[in-house]
C-alpha cells in the first residue's frame, strides 16, 4: 500500500469542459445517422412493429447515454466524490428507467420484443465501438482531434486560496 | 390457530394439485429470467465501481490528465453497462417473448 494519492482528492472537482458531453454529442449524432438504416433493417425483418420498436430502442439508448453524461458532467463540477456516487447510483437508476420504459410498452401492439431487445444491445455496443475507434485514433494521433480539451482541475487548496483572495 | 389451519389446508391442496407442464415451464422460465437479470446486474456494478475507483486514483495522481482519464472512464463504464443491458434483454426475451 503506497500513499502517493492526494488525501484531499475527494474534495477535488473539475471546472473545465466535460469530455463526456462531447462523447455523447458524437454518439447521438452517429445514432441519428445510423437510425434510418437500423429502422429500415428492422422493418424488413419484423415489419411495422419492428420498425417502431427499433426507433423506440434507439431513443432509449441515446437517452441513456445523455443521462449518464449529464450526471457525470454535472457532478464533476461539484466534486469527484459526488461524481462517483452519482454514477454508481445512476447506474441502478438508469437500469431501472430502461426496464420501466420497456415494461410499460411490452404489451402494446406496435412493439416487437425481439426487435426491441436486439436494438438495445446492437445500438449500445455499435455506437460505443464506433465512438471508441474515433477516440482511440484521436488519442494516438492528437492532430486528428477536432478540439483540444483542456480540463481545469480545482483542488481544495486552490479553492480555499480563491475564496481567501476574494 | 385457525389461520394456521387454513394455511395448512391450502398447502395440502396445492400439494395435491397436478401441475400443468406448460405452467411449470412458464414458472421455470420466469424464475430463470429473474435470476439472469439479477446476476447480470451484479457484475457490471462491481466493474463500474472498480473503473471509477481507478479513475479517481488516476486523477489524484495526475490532475493534468483528468480529461483523458474521464474520456476513457466514460467509455469503459458504457461498455460495462452493456453487460447489464444484455442481461436485461435476456430477461425480457425469456419472460415475455
Amino acid at each position: 500500500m503506497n500513499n502517493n494519492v492526494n488525501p484531499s482528492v475527494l474534495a477535488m472537482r473539475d471546472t473545465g469542459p466535460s469530455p463526456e458531453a462531447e462523447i455523447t454529442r458524437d454518439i447521438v449524432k452517429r445514432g441519428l445517422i445510423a437510425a434510418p438504416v437500423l429502422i429500415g433493417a428492422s422493418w424488413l425483418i419484423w415489419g411495422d412493429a419492428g420498425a417502431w420498436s427499433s426507433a423506440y430502442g434507439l431513443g432509449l439508448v441515446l437517452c441513456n447515454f445523455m443521462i449518464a453524461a449529464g450526471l457525470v458532467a454535472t457532478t464533476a463540477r461539484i466534486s469527484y466524490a459526488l461524481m462517483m456516487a452519482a454514477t454508481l447510483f445512476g447506474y441502478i437508476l438508469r437500469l431501472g428507467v430502461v426496464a420501466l420504459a420497456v415494461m410499460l410498452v411490452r404489451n402494446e401492439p406496435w412493439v416487437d420484443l425481439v426487435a426491441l431487445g436486439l436494438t438495445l444491445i446492437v445500438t449500445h455496443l455499435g455506437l460505443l465501438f464506433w465512438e471508441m475507434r474515433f477516440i482511440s485514433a484521436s488519442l494516438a494521433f492528437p492532430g486528428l482531434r477536432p478540439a483540444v480539451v483542456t480540463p481545469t482541475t480545482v483542488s481544495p487548496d486552490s479553492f480555499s486560496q480563491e475564496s481567501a483572495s476574494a | 390457530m385457525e389461520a394456521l389451519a387454513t394455511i395448512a389446508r391450502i398447502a395440502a391442496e396445492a400439494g395435491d394439485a397436478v401441475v400443468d407442464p406448460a405452467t411449470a415451464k412458464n414458472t421455470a422460465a420466469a424464475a430463470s429470467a429473474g435470476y439472469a437479470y439479477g446476476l447480470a446486474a451484479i457484475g457490471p456494478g462491481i466493474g463500474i465501481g472498480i473503473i471509477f475507483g481507478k479513475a479517481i486514483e488516476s486523477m489524484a495522481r495526475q490532475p493534468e490528465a483528468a480529461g483523458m482519464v474521464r474520456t476513457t472512464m466514460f467509455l469503459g463504464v458504457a461498455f460495462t453497462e452493456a453487460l447489464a443491458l444484455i442481461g436485461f434483454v435476456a430477461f425480457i426475451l425469456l419472460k415475455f417473448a
Side-chain angles (χ1 to χ4, degrees):
Chain A
M1 183 80 185
N2 57 36
N3 294 317
N4 292 334
V5 178
N6 184 349
S8 59
V9 62
L10 292 180
M12 290 173 74
R13 64 197 175 111
D14 197 338
T15 56
S18 157
E20 296 86 13
E22 200 178 327
I23 291 172
T24 305
R25 211 173 297 128
D26 277 354
I27 286 177
V28 170
K29 238 183 275 174
R30 289 178 180 145
L32 293 179
I33 291 169
V37 178
L38 192 74
I39 294 171
S42 292
W43 181 74
L44 284 177
I45 299 170
W46 291 288
D48 287 347
W52 282 112
S53 302
S54 281
Y56 187 69
L58 182 64
L60 273 182
V61 168
L62 296 183
C63 285
N64 190 27
F65 277 126
M66 285 192 282
I67 294 172
L71 267 178
V72 175
T74 307
T75 51
R77 291 176 195 281
I78 300 169
S79 87
Y80 285 157
L82 186 63
M83 180 178 82
M84 183 158 184
T87 307
L88 287 175
F89 283 104
Y91 160 68
I92 300 291
L93 181 78
R94 283 180 293 114
L95 209 57
V97 168
V98 170
L100 186 69
V102 173
M103 291 295 171
L104 284 178
V105 299
R106 73 187 159 87
N107 290 324
E108 296 292 329
W110 52 269
V111 168
D112 185 316
L113 280 177
V114 178
L116 179 57
L118 286 180
T119 303
L120 282 176
I121 296 175
V122 169
T123 314
H124 189 95
L125 283 177
L127 289 175
L128 274 178
F129 273 111
W130 196 355
E131 182 64 22
M132 194 184 67
R133 283 174 62 87
F134 173 77
I135 294 281
S136 307
S138 64
L139 285 178
F141 309 105
L144 294 177
R145 191 190 299 248
V148 179
V149 178
T150 50
T152 311
T153 303
V154 179
S155 68
D157 298 336
S158 61
F159 185 64
S160 57
Q161 282 168 6
E162 282 171 20
S163 312
S165 60
Chain B
M1 216 45 194
E2 191 178 339
L4 278 178
T6 309
I7 290 171
R9 183 174 50 79
I10 291 171
E13 284 174 6
D16 292 341
V18 179
V19 179
D20 179 27
T23 310
K25 191 179 170 186
N26 283 341
T27 310
S32 309
Y35 277 116
Y37 188 26
L39 290 174
I42 292 173
I46 296 171
I48 289 173
I50 292 173
I51 289 172
F52 261 89
K54 293 291 179 188
I56 297 232
E57 192 178 321
S58 305
M59 287 188 278
R61 285 177 193 273
Q62 282 188 291
E64 69 277 7
M68 200 168 69
V69 170
R70 279 174 62 183
T71 302
T72 46
M73 176 195 77
F74 187 69
L75 284 178
V77 167
F79 271 111
T80 312
E81 270 184 29
L83 293 174
L85 269 184
I86 290 170
F88 172 65
V89 170
F91 164 73
I92 57 168
L93 292 185
L94 276 173
K95 183 87 168 66
F96 302 114

